[in-house]
Amino acid sequence: MSAEIEELLKRYQNYPNVVGIIVLDPFAIPIKTTMDYTLTVHYAALISTLTFKAAKMVTNLDSSNELVNLRMRTLNHEVIVVPSESYIIIVIQKPGT
Amino acid sequence: MSAEIEELLKRYQNYPNVVGIIVLDPFAIPIKTTMDYTLTVHYAALISTLTFKAAKMVTNLDSSNELVNLRMRTLNHEVIVVPSESYIIIVIQKPGT
């Protein structure tokens, strides 16, 4: 896994309210996680599906446009999804940051 | 439409970078828009589908949890979606706010 991703993970892990980080490969397979494996696989499946749909929706509305990131604020957490060609990074943090 | 929503619209409309606001009823039918109708219907269909999926995903991961809002950052815009029992509010703004 590229040094760039390792560097990104280290940076996110030091944020005070981060409760979990997951890195998926382009096929939504978890390749790095700070959470237990069952929850990781559950997040990976649901969030990758939603992210692919969001990315398709964005280009559907405007073919010159592209999804940069997705943030879901829930009662308990904030989930930030950063898709790229080679990885999907998912950061779960306590709200209020 | 409730005074609460009218109030919310007025407030959002005054934000400097807001380029469009759409209010949908619980069935994703546009009931208020500041954008042209074709684009409004297009946004309404795609975003409501994505929002319903995101809301289901959140409760799927944790039944005590709930989607509060969804933010999609794209190359050209930021789309903020605020779902509630009676309305779905979609705000489209230029990034950088």
Side-chain angles (χ1 to χ4, degrees):
Chain A
M1 192 166 45
S2 78
E4 176 214 342
I5 288 293
E6 293 282 354
E7 184 45 42
L8 216 69
L9 283 178
K10 244 182 259 148
R11 196 162 11 111
Y12 282 139
Q13 254 168 327
N14 293 327
Y15 284 6
N17 287 339
V18 170
V19 296
I21 303 172
I22 305 170
V23 180
L24 310 180
D25 73 7
F27 306 100
I29 308 298
I31 47 176
K32 184 95 183 176
T33 183
T34 62
M35 299 164 66
D36 85 68
Y37 200 71
T38 318
L39 195 57
T40 295
V41 170
H42 203 180
Y43 263 95
L46 293 173
I47 288 189
S48 56
T49 310
L50 193 74
T51 306
F52 293 143
K53 281 193 191 306
K56 224 172 97 187
M57 183 206 93
V58 167
T59 40
N60 190 318
L61 280 165
D62 170 359
S63 57
S64 71
N65 205 357
E66 214 179 281
L67 180 69
V68 172
N69 65 53
L70 189 64
R71 294 172 81 107
M72 279 167 279
R73 180 67 180 270
T74 70
L75 296 178
N76 305 338
H77 293 119
E78 181 154 35
V79 180
I80 300 143
V81 185
V82 182
S84 72
E85 291 270 321
S86 30
Y87 299 103
I88 298 174
I89 297 175
I90 303 169
V91 177
I92 299 121
Q93 62 186 17
K94 273 180 255 145
T97 46
Chain B
M1 192 165 47
S2 79
E4 173 212 344
I5 288 294
E6 294 282 352
E7 184 45 42
L8 216 69
L9 284 178
K10 245 184 256 145
R11 198 164 5 115
Y12 281 140
Q13 251 166 328
N14 293 328
Y15 283 4
N17 288 343
V18 170
V19 296
I21 302 172
I22 305 170
V23 180
L24 309 180
D25 74 7
F27 306 101
I29 309 297
I31 47 176
K32 184 96 184 178
T33 182
T34 61
M35 298 163 64
D36 84 70
Y37 201 72
T38 319
L39 196 56
T40 295
V41 170
H42 203 179
Y43 263 95
L46 293 174
I47 288 190
S48 56
T49 310
L50 192 74
T51 306
F52 292 142
K53 281 195 192 304
K56 223 171 101 188
M57 183 206 92
V58 166
T59 40
N60 192 319
L61 281 165
D62 171 359
S63 56
S64 71
N65 205 357
E66 216 179 281
L67 180 70
V68 173
N69 66 53
L70 189 64
R71 296 173 80 107
M72 278 169 279
R73 180 67 181 270
T74 72
L75 295 178
N76 305 338
H77 294 116
E78 180 154 36
V79 180
I80 300 141
V81 185
V82 183
S84 73
E85 291 270 321
S86 31
Y87 299 102
I88 298 174
I89 297 176
I90 303 169
V91 178
I92 299 123
Q93 62 187 16
K94 274 182 251 136
T97 45

